[in-house]
Amino acid sequence: MTASLPVSGLTSSSGAGFPAVQHQPQRSGHRPLAVAAAVSAPASAPSAAPALRLVAQSEGLLQIHTAPFRGSYGAVLSQALRSAGLGSRVLVTQFLKGGVDQGLGSSVWLCGRLQWLRPGVPGCLSEPAARQGLELLEAVRQVWAFSREQLLSGAVDLMVLDELGLAVELGYIEQVEVLATLERRPAHLDVILTGPAMTPELMAMADQVTQLRRGL
C-alpha cells in the first residue's frame, strides 16, 4: 500500500494520474525578475538644474482717479487712512485747497502715520496762476517741492496728490517737472493722482485709470 504524501503548492491540471504542475504564488510588491532587473539598472544621472529662488518684490503703481465732479477724493482718502492704520507711511497733498491755516509748518497728522498737507492760502484756488499774487504761487510751489522731495527719497509708502493735474493745467506747477518726477519715483512707492483734470501726458503714464461718470 502506497502512502499518500501531501505536497504543498502542487496542483494537478487534469486530475489524478498526471504529474502535478507547480505554480509560483504571486505576492504583492514583487516584480518578475526580468522587469526588476530592468528597473534596477543604473541610469545616467541627469544634469542638475539650477535652483529657482523666488524673491518677493513689491512694485508700486501710478494710479489716477478722476471725475468731472468731486466724487473720487473721498474713496481715495479712505484707502489712505486704512493704509496708515495698517502701518504704512502716507502723504496726502491737496495743491489747490486752503482756508484751514495749513502750510508746511501746520500740516495735519492722522493715525500717527498720515501727513495731510495743504498750501497756506486763505481759500481754495480756482483761477489761473497768472491772475494770482506771488504769495499764493509760492505757497503752492512749497507744498509741491516738499511732496517731490518725499517722493524721490522714498520716505513714504503711499502718496496721494490731489488736483495735481488741475494745478498743472492752471499754471501753478510745470508739467515737465511733474512728469520727470513721476518717472523717477521709487519702485515700491504707490502714487495716486486725483482730481477733475488730468492732462493726456499724465494719463499715458498711469498704470491704472479710474474714471467716475455721473448719470451713467
Side-chain angles (χ1 to χ4, degrees), residues 173-191:
I173 306 173
E174 294 293 333
Q175 177 169 262
V176 174
E177 184 178 2
V178 170
L179 296 176
T181 300
L182 293 176
E183 287 178 350
R184 294 169 55 194
R185 68 189 186 277
H188 76 277
L189 179 59
D190 285 309
V191 180

Side-chain angles (χ1 to χ4, degrees), residues 77-91:
L77 182 59
S78 297
Q79 176 183 342
L81 286 170
R82 287 195 301 270
S83 297
L86 294 173
S88 297
R89 301 162 299 171
V90 182
L91 174 63

Side-chain angles (χ1 to χ4, degrees), residues 40-201:
S40 61
S44 58
S47 57
L52 297 179
R53 182 175 301 173
L54 299 180
V55 179
Q57 295 181 345
S58 58
E59 182 176 354
L61 297 176
L62 175 60
Q63 304 177 48
I64 288 180
H65 289 249
T66 183
F69 55 95
R70 299 184 183 276
S72 59
Y73 179 72
V76 173
L77 182 59
S78 297
Q79 176 183 342
L81 286 170
R82 287 195 301 270
S83 297
L86 294 173
S88 297
R89 301 162 299 171
V90 182
L91 174 63
V92 176
T93 302
Q94 293 186 281
F95 290 98
L96 302 180
K97 295 291 191 300
V100 291
D101 192 23
Q102 282 203 28
L104 289 179
S106 304
S107 59
V108 176
W109 285 85
L110 303 174
C111 301
R113 308 279 292 179
L114 186 151
Q115 184 179 10
W116 191 349
L117 180 61
R118 287 180 172 183
V121 295
C124 296
L125 304 175
S126 58
E127 297 293 326
R131 301 180 186 176
Q132 304 288 3
L134 293 179
E135 184 178 353
L136 298 182
L137 296 179
E138 182 61 22
V140 175
R141 289 167 183 169
Q142 281 182 356
V143 297
W144 161 245
F146 177 80
S147 302
R148 179 178 181 273
E149 187 275 331
Q150 294 289 294
L151 187 152
L152 293 177
S153 65
V156 296
D157 304 302
L158 170 63
M159 182 172 293
V160 178
L161 303 176
D162 182 43
E163 294 189 335
L164 177 62
L166 188 57
V168 168
E169 188 175 278
L170 294 177
Y172 290 91
I173 306 173
E174 294 293 333
Q175 177 169 262
V176 174
E177 184 178 2
V178 170
L179 296 176
T181 300
L182 293 176
E183 287 178 350
R184 294 169 55 194
R185 68 189 186 277
H188 76 277
L189 179 59
D190 285 309
V191 180
I192 303 179
L193 310 183
T194 62
M198 293 292 168
T199 65
E201 291 80 3

Side-chain angles (χ1 to χ4, degrees), residues 11-36:
T11 60
S12 174
S13 60
S14 58
F18 289 88
V21 179
Q22 183 176 4
H23 294 273
Q24 295 291 339
Q26 296 293 331
R27 297 181 182 177
S28 60
H30 289 264
R31 296 188 179 94
L33 294 179
V35 177

